[in-house]
Amino acid sequence: MPKNKGKGGKNRKRGKNEADDEKRELVFKEDGQEYAQVLRMLGNGRCEAMCIDGTKRLCHIRGKMHKKVWIAAGDIILVGLRDYQDDKADVILKYMPDEARLLKAYGELPENTRLNEGIAGGLEDEDEGPGDDYIEFEDEDIDKI
């Protein structure tokens, strides 16, 4: 049986992403690029995104980002447009939530763009008092059932 000469398994490969936590410079779009919001993930390194110019495009996640930068529905991304295919694009960069807020503040993103971070906390709390979550039946109502 041959001796293992590798440096480690999949757990070693998982720990490479530690350097992405520090602040990075905000990247703005150039010509041939567009901002987009991910509508849904399709699998196989692809996603469907609605670009800011109003076009829905099929986006391919580039190999440098594949399995390293996780993209979910609602994320703001920077895509590179293709000259020969208008309905397809390539994902260049995923913006962190604070970077997306800065882009909106600078006017790069339109005001009607909904950023994804506030959806989970948007539940309405109705304070009707304790004990109002159940229905109280009279004895005669129970006899009818």
Side-chain angles (χ1 to χ4, degrees):
M1 182 175 268
K3 189 160 176 93
N4 291 335
K5 297 192 186 239
K7 300 275 194 246
K10 66 178 181 181
N11 289 335
R12 180 179 172 271
K13 292 177 186 169
R14 273 189 193 160
K16 286 184 177 179
N17 218 5
E18 297 165 330
D20 280 347
D21 291 339
E22 73 257 3
K23 291 282 187 183
R24 62 181 185 197
E25 190 175 328
L26 190 60
V27 179
F28 294 105
K29 73 173 184 176
E30 299 172 3
D31 52 336
Q33 297 177 350
E34 191 65 58
Y35 301 113
Q37 187 167 24
V38 178
L39 297 176
R40 61 187 177 132
M41 295 302 296
L42 299 174
N44 201 16
R46 295 175 303 150
C47 63
E48 189 177 86
M50 177 62 76
C51 292
I52 299 303
D53 60 3
T55 309
K56 191 184 290 187
R57 291 188 170 94
L58 180 71
C59 299
H60 178 265
I61 301 171
R62 60 185 290 200
K64 187 177 179 182
M65 298 176 65
H66 189 66
K67 290 195 176 179
K68 291 178 179 64
V69 178
W70 291 104
I71 296 176
D75 287 343
I76 303 295
I77 56 175
L78 180 66
V79 297
L81 305 177
R82 298 182 179 180
D83 297 333
Y84 49 93
Q85 290 173 314
D86 192 44
D87 59 335
K88 291 187 180 179
D90 301 300
V91 179
I92 296 173
L93 180 72
K94 175 196 167 192
Y95 290 104
M96 299 297 158
D98 56 335
E99 294 173 331
R101 281 192 293 270
L102 281 174
L103 283 176
K104 197 169 181 178
Y106 288 147
E108 293 284 323
L109 296 177
E111 290 297 320
N112 59 1
T113 304
R114 273 192 70 191
L115 301 180
N116 203 23
E117 59 267 5
I119 293 175
L123 299 174
E124 296 179 13
D125 294 332
E126 297 179 7
D127 294 331
E128 297 175 5
D132 288 341
D133 293 339
Y134 62 91
I135 299 172
E136 193 171 316
F137 288 102
E138 300 290 330
D139 289 336
E140 56 213 37
D141 293 336
I142 295 174
D143 292 337
K144 292 179 185 175
I145 297 174

